[in-house]
Amino acid sequence: MATVTIKDGSIIMEFGPWERFFVGRARHTIPLAAVRQAIAADQPLRVPRGARRGLTVSGHTKIGVWGLYGGPRQLVSVNRHLPGVHLLLDRASSGGEFDEVVISAPDTDRLVEAIRAVAS
């Protein structure tokens, strides 16, 4: 499971060994200034949409990149057993790769509040 921390004006996501294969990276960093909106998602499996490159275990797990051929490009690492954080990003400010990030975290409410407090 990925870990999410906020440090030095950035959101840092570190992916576990098996997640790295599907997301194509060990770490992804987003400047807090690039976050347009942070939303707590009780059912994060419903957020990813579009064509994908990654893993889907129906009703259980989604890991990878969604929105390959249109729509918002999403970096995804979610599991049905945990709530998620849905970040809407300014793509240019965030590095140009993703429009959204959807990631499961055990402390979603605290994380969303911290992002909102710092990003505002």
Side-chain angles (χ1 to χ4, degrees):
M1 178 59 43
T3 59
V4 182
T5 55
I6 299 172
K7 183 178 179 183
D8 299 328
S10 296
I11 301 167
I12 302 164
M13 293 166 279
E14 297 200 32
F15 299 99
W18 60 275
E19 289 172 302
R20 293 175 187 172
F21 178 75
F22 298 107
V23 296
R25 66 197 70 224
R27 171 188 280 205
H28 187 67
T29 302
I30 302 167
L32 281 166
V35 177
R36 290 187 294 128
Q37 191 172 6
I39 305 162
D42 291 334
Q43 297 179 336
L45 286 171
R46 292 185 176 190
V47 178
R49 57 199 173 277
R52 71 179 184 284
R53 179 189 76 233
L55 170 72
T56 296
V57 178
S58 187
H60 191 274
T61 302
K62 291 183 179 180
I63 302 169
V65 178
W66 266 249
L68 295 179
Y69 303 117
R73 191 162 179 105
Q74 300 171 311
L75 177 64
V76 177
S77 179
V78 295
N79 183 292
R80 77 169 175 194
H81 297 294
L82 292 172
V85 176
H86 182 191
L87 301 174
L88 304 177
L89 307 174
D90 175 5
R91 189 171 184 166
S93 299
S94 68
E97 278 189 90
F98 303 106
D99 299 299
E100 301 178 10
V101 171
V102 187
I103 192 160
S104 285
D107 53 351
T108 299
D109 292 332
R110 182 195 60 79
L111 191 58
V112 167
E113 288 305 316
I115 292 168
R116 287 178 181 165
V118 178
S120 310

